[in-house]
Amino acid sequence: QVQLVESGGGSVQAGGSLRLSCVTSGNFSAPYCMGWFRQAPGKERVVVATLKSDGSTHYVASVKGRFTISEDNAKNTLYLQMNSLKPEDTAMYYCTHETGGCTGIPYNLDWGRGTQVTVSS
């Protein structure tokens, strides 16, 4: 079982930046897929970015060029650097771990409890 604890959310104005962190614990090894999902009020939870153990990344179109997913294995921490934030980025952000590839199937994922990001115009 992998435990995930997010932090770094907050309230910022449009155009600002935040860096989310996700500290992982528990035993896991490659291959794996780490990810960030978000859920806005009244909407479904959707993937934002993923990072495979081979270093490959994927971003949803709406955040490409603004968000960067990365990991520091020495610190057991996953990051999401968010720049040029927009009001539509407002959501609860969740860190995920999946053994193997990035299927994104909720049943296959370990989830953190989330951290709230609010962007005002």
Side-chain angles (χ1 to χ4, degrees):
Q1 187 72 24
V2 177
Q3 292 78 45
L4 309 164
V5 180
E6 304 95 334
S7 63
S11 297
V12 296
Q13 290 191 328
S17 298
L18 284 173
R19 187 177 77 160
L20 305 184
S21 298
C22 171
V23 177
T24 66
S25 59
N27 294 321
F28 66 94
S29 58
Y32 59 80
C33 177
M34 302 298 298
W36 289 97
F37 282 64
R38 68 185 180 188
Q39 186 169 21
K43 296 188 177 181
E44 293 184 351
R45 194 174 296 187
V46 296
V47 64
V48 174
T50 59
L51 171 63
K52 292 184 178 180
S53 50
D54 65 3
S56 58
T57 59
H58 171 78
Y59 299 91
V60 67
S62 59
V63 307
K64 276 184 180 179
R66 300 190 298 123
F67 290 13
T68 303
I69 188 171
S70 63
E71 63 180 349
D72 184 334
N73 290 327
K75 296 182 179 180
N76 295 326
T77 302
L78 179 74
Y79 300 102
L80 185 68
Q81 178 67 44
M82 306 187 295
N83 299 327
S84 302
L85 282 161
K86 304 176 181 180
E88 51 264 43
D89 295 318
T90 294
M92 183 71 79
Y93 284 72
Y94 298 89
C95 175
T96 64
H97 162 268
E98 182 174 2
T99 300
C102 298
T103 70
I105 299 172
Y107 181 80
N108 291 339
L109 306 180
D110 299 301
W111 295 87
R113 292 190 174 185
T115 185
Q116 178 68 37
V117 172
T118 302
V119 185
S120 58
S121 58

